[in-house]
Amino acid sequence: MEQLTPWIGLVGLIGLAGLAGLKSPVTRSRPGAVVRVLGVLGLAGLSGIWVPGAGAMGAFGALGLWNHQSDRLALWGRLGWTGLLGVPFALAALL
């Protein structure tokens, strides 16, 4: 697990895809607004500065593209769930 820790943290870069929502926001009439709000959890990826591997939680930022009208951006939104990879590292640091 120690060898994978730096690589798992890089998963958080997926969260940068959430910035595409600034240029092309999701139409308000599309369902999934609650999940899109979870994109704020991408800020939890900043804990990767102090907790090795927890930076993967930054991938949650891509959830802001959840159910986007563009199929390509919607794919990035689904990849936001990879942020779950960083949760065990954050929990281990808390306990």
Side-chain angles (χ1 to χ4, degrees):
M1 182 103 156
E2 290 287 324
Q3 296 114 357
L4 289 177
T5 302
W7 299 106
I8 289 173
L10 288 175
V11 170
L13 294 175
I14 292 171
L16 292 175
L19 295 175
L22 296 174
K23 181 180 178 194
S24 174
V26 180
T27 307
R28 291 194 183 269
S29 63
R30 307 239 344 150
V34 174
V35 176
R36 287 192 295 274
V37 171
L38 290 177
V40 174
L41 290 175
L43 294 174
L46 292 174
S47 65
I49 296 170
W50 303 281
V51 180
M57 291 190 307
F60 285 131
L63 290 176
L65 298 173
W66 186 260
N67 201 17
H68 197 279
Q69 58 271 14
S70 163
D71 290 337
R72 186 174 52 95
L73 292 177
L75 171 66
W76 283 102
R78 288 189 292 279
L79 288 175
W81 291 110
T82 59
L84 291 171
L85 292 172
V87 173
F89 294 97
L91 290 176
L94 291 174
L95 301 176

